[in-house]
């Protein structure tokens, strides 16, 4: 039952990940450094009471920046959807497109033919 109270003593520490705001008793601000994919280093001031977001738009280039200098978020231009679409377009050669058109036409003819039979 002995040794309680440690957690309560440390509860008002609002330091950032680097401990920069450790001495900020008078100034209720902390400087948080963000890193973007273009290796910009942006220091953004936050209130010590504010919750520091994990990511921030780089003020220099507008790319998303993160707290981790070794692992900045990738530029949003690399979207999986667009890459996939480009890949599909690239793969579909003219001949392939012809085959697809051919298949569609014959399917259409078959449907018309069977339609004739039914009516
Ligand atoms: Zn940047």
């Amino acid at each position: 039952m002995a040794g309680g109270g440690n957690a309560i003593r440390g509860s008002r520490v609002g330091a950032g990940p680097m401990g920069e705001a450790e001495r900020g008793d008078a100034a209720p601000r902390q400087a948080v450094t963000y890193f973007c994919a273009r290796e910009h280093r942006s220091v953004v001031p936050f209130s010590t009471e504010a919750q520091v977001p994990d990511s921030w738009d780089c003020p220099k280039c507008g790319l998303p920046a993160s707290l981790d200098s070794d692992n900045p978020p990738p530029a949003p231009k690399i979207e999986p959807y667009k890459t996939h679409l480009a890949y599909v377009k690239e793969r579909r050669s003219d001949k392939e497109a012809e085959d697809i058109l051919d298949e569609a036409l014959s399917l259409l003819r078959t449907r018309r033919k069977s339609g004739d039979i039914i009516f």
Side-chain angles (χ1 to χ4, degrees):
M1 279 293 194
N6 279 349
I8 294 164
R9 198 178 297 169
S11 64
R12 70 181 273 279
V13 174
M18 322 262 186
E20 285 165 35
E22 200 72 61
R23 62 206 158 94
D25 259 9
R29 290 198 159 224
Q30 56 179 323
V32 180
T33 309
Y34 288 95
F35 304 87
C36 81
R38 290 186 184 173
E39 296 180 6
H40 294 137
R41 191 169 160 274
S42 309
V43 179
V44 183
F46 285 100
S47 162
T48 50
E49 288 173 14
Q51 195 181 359
V52 177
D54 287 340
S55 63
W56 194 260
D57 285 346
C58 173
K60 291 176 181 112
C61 67
L63 289 179
S66 79
L67 297 167
D68 188 355
S69 63
D70 292 329
N71 198 14
K77 280 173 187 171
I78 310 165
E79 290 176 32
Y81 174 75
K82 279 181 183 171
T83 313
H84 177 69
L85 195 69
Y87 178 70
V88 170
K89 273 182 182 171
E90 207 171 277
R91 270 196 67 193
R92 189 172 291 175
S93 63
D94 285 348
K95 191 187 175 300
E96 211 172 331
E98 247 172 64
D99 287 348
I100 290 165
L101 188 70
D102 222 41
E103 199 181 304
L105 280 175
S106 62
L107 192 72
L108 201 66
R109 285 194 198 108
T110 312
R111 275 188 189 160
R112 275 195 185 155
K113 215 181 270 178
S114 59
D116 282 341
I117 294 165
I118 289 164
F119 288 116

